[in-house]
Amino acid sequence: MEQNIFDKQRELTKRLNRYREEYYNQNAPSVSDAVYDRLSDELKQMEQQTGVCMANSPTQTVGYPVVSKLENTSHVIPLLSLDKTKSSEDLVRFQANHQVMLMLKLDGLTVKLTYEEGLLKEASTRGDGNEGEIITHNTRGISGIPARIPYKERLVVTGEAFIPPGDFEKLRTRLLDSDGKPYKNGRNLAAGSVRLLNASVCRERRVRFVPFHVLEGYPELAAKSQKLYQLPALGFSICKFMVSQRVLTQAEIEGGIAQLRQFAMENDIPIDGVVMTYNDIAFSKSRGRTGHHYKDGMAFKFEDEMFESRLQEIEWTPTRSGEIAPVAVFEPVEIDGCEVSRASLHNLTFIEELELMPGNRILVSKRNMIIPHVEENLDRGGFNLERIIPLQCPCCGEPTRIHAGQSRTADNAERVTRTLFCDNPACETRRLRQFVHFAGQKAMDIEGLSEATLEKLIGKGFLHTYMDIYRLDRYRAEIIKMEGFGEKSWQKLWDAIQQSRKTTFERYVIAMDIPMIGNNAGRALCKEFGGNLGAFEMAVYQGYDFTQLPDFGETLHQNIKNWFLDEENIYVWDELQKLVEIEKKPAEEKAVGEDSLFAGRTIVVTGKVEPYTREGIHDLIASLGAYPGSSVSKKTDYLICGEKAGSKLAKARELNIPVLTPTEFFCRAKVG
């Protein structure tokens, strides 16, 4: 059967629905009853000929159903998300030597349709991937969904329900969301429309459905594309895609993305990226999944999308260093399926440059699809710094201070950065943050000494210095009587405190909270000074140049020097060592990795390297006798580039630093 008849049928369905709208709702018919009846008879003949009847066909829809609530349904095959990237290089690596499909990433709400014996039995939303809501009643109000198809076996398709951008611009002027405000984007309006209880209201929203995957059906076909090619004969308009015939170069992938993007723009289709997926179904299944996404596909996002919101207030919170950090609190917006209502504002300079004031309309994004960020202020003007910064610390009430410091931009240019400070060392919030850091997993690792517990113990006057943690048994009787405590809870906490007495050079140095000293810097210092705290301290006093260590710059060098100039810091440094035991590094441990290809090299990691956490991959690098760096510089020898690579990749290219994929690194390191 020629595809042309399906196109005619869909067009005639759309045309007759428009005439019905004019006749019943606008009282302004553009055709006579005779013309309408003739076209209706023609549509009936087509439906009989093709065996396809669209859910919104005027031959079937006498009325539009209404339900009292949306029932839930389980997805036997979970409808998970895909991993995301903004780098075409990631797509090249993902492709490997397999045939792939490049497909539009439609911007709407994922919907699943289930057919039995040629009839639509259920339509549901994706929901959380495991359970969605049944929206079968609304299929009459959504174009592109057949109610009857000639395929009699079980068929399950997934696709996207969306509103074309052109239609959304017309609708947004007269529709309001549940808060009585205009819809911010077509995705939100489509998602809300599909989940309406009244199908007649859904019909007015001009929602379309386009399938992008056959979940069940046509079991004899081995490729995803082959299954999709069957759908037009069932009345569907499938999502635009391309299939590779050989391994694609990066330029070819980027060219394909550009073509798909142009197609979407010319056909008024809302997209927020392009999806690459393996075409072979058996291979796709073999790739498995995580709890969040299947591993047989990757979504290429064009850019960090921006969403309009309104700044409600700026919160100020003292940190353990004394800096008072500003946080934007704004009207919630949904980004990548998550509700976002807070974002760091970094410092005063950032606020001043955006001229941010409560009440301003702002643009918010998720940078690299992870970190919420305020991108722009749409209501500049009327900025007054004195009206937004607290003159007293929000915690202790002591006067605040504006500090101006030097920093460098990405292009190495100097700039002045202004921050707000509380100089009161006894500030409760500041002290609490310091204790939380000290007891944290990367520092002394005292299990059970949470922020809430520390707040209670500090409030009771039991803790004034870090050393007091190891003398808490003096207050055992009082602690047992505290809310949330008892004999067992106390004993568990005390056992964890005793266990933390045996620690390492790295943990001790991190616990001291020397600015910018973390896992990597602590590991480098341990290696340089043989795990000897005394040798490290003596080196400071003797003018040791820390910039000679991998990944140590002038700022970190100065931080170490300044920290040891503070008498209170020295007191804690010395006194705490009397209460703990620093593990001695076995002599043979120093030789680990000396015969490795990477011994003595500085290796930086960007992106996700499965199955390792960031700390895990750094430990692996260290075990090879190499140094795991945190930033790319001229001292870097290799960059390992995993999924969702960041700006470090561009920096490595600029400096001509060798870039390794995780597979290349594991092979050279002889890691299984």
Side-chain angles (χ1 to χ4, degrees), residues 467 471 508 512 533-534 537-538 541 563-564 566-580:
M467 289 74 76
R471 301 167 182 144
Y508 192 89
M512 290 299 98
L533 292 173
E537 182 181 2
M538 187 58 65
Y541 298 143
W563 193 89
F564 277 94
D566 189 305
E567 290 185 8
E568 186 173 338
N569 290 340
I570 296 300
Y571 170 74
V572 175
W573 173 268
D574 290 336
E575 289 300 310
L576 192 61
Q577 287 184 55
K578 299 174 183 177
L579 299 173
V580 302

Side-chain angles (χ1 to χ4, degrees), residues 360-403:
N360 289 162
R361 291 176 302 127
I362 58 176
L363 293 179
V364 181
S365 76
K366 260 193 178 182
R367 287 200 171 178
N368 291 321
M369 298 164 285
I370 299 173
I371 303 172
H373 194 267
V374 176
E375 300 288 353
E376 184 54 271
N377 180 6
L378 300 177
D379 295 327
R380 289 175 181 264
F383 178 72
N384 187 332
L385 183 64
E386 292 182 358
R387 285 176 53 195
I388 61 170
I389 63 170
L391 300 180
Q392 288 84 34
C393 172
C395 173
C396 66
E398 289 294 309
T400 57
R401 169 179 62 90
I402 295 178
H403 170 73

Side-chain angles (χ1 to χ4, degrees), residues 174-184 188-189 205:
R174 59 183 178 86
L175 293 177
L176 301 177
D177 63 17
S178 58
D179 295 324
K181 300 176 181 178
Y183 282 90
K184 294 183 173 67
N188 288 354
L189 180 56
R205 304 293 180 84

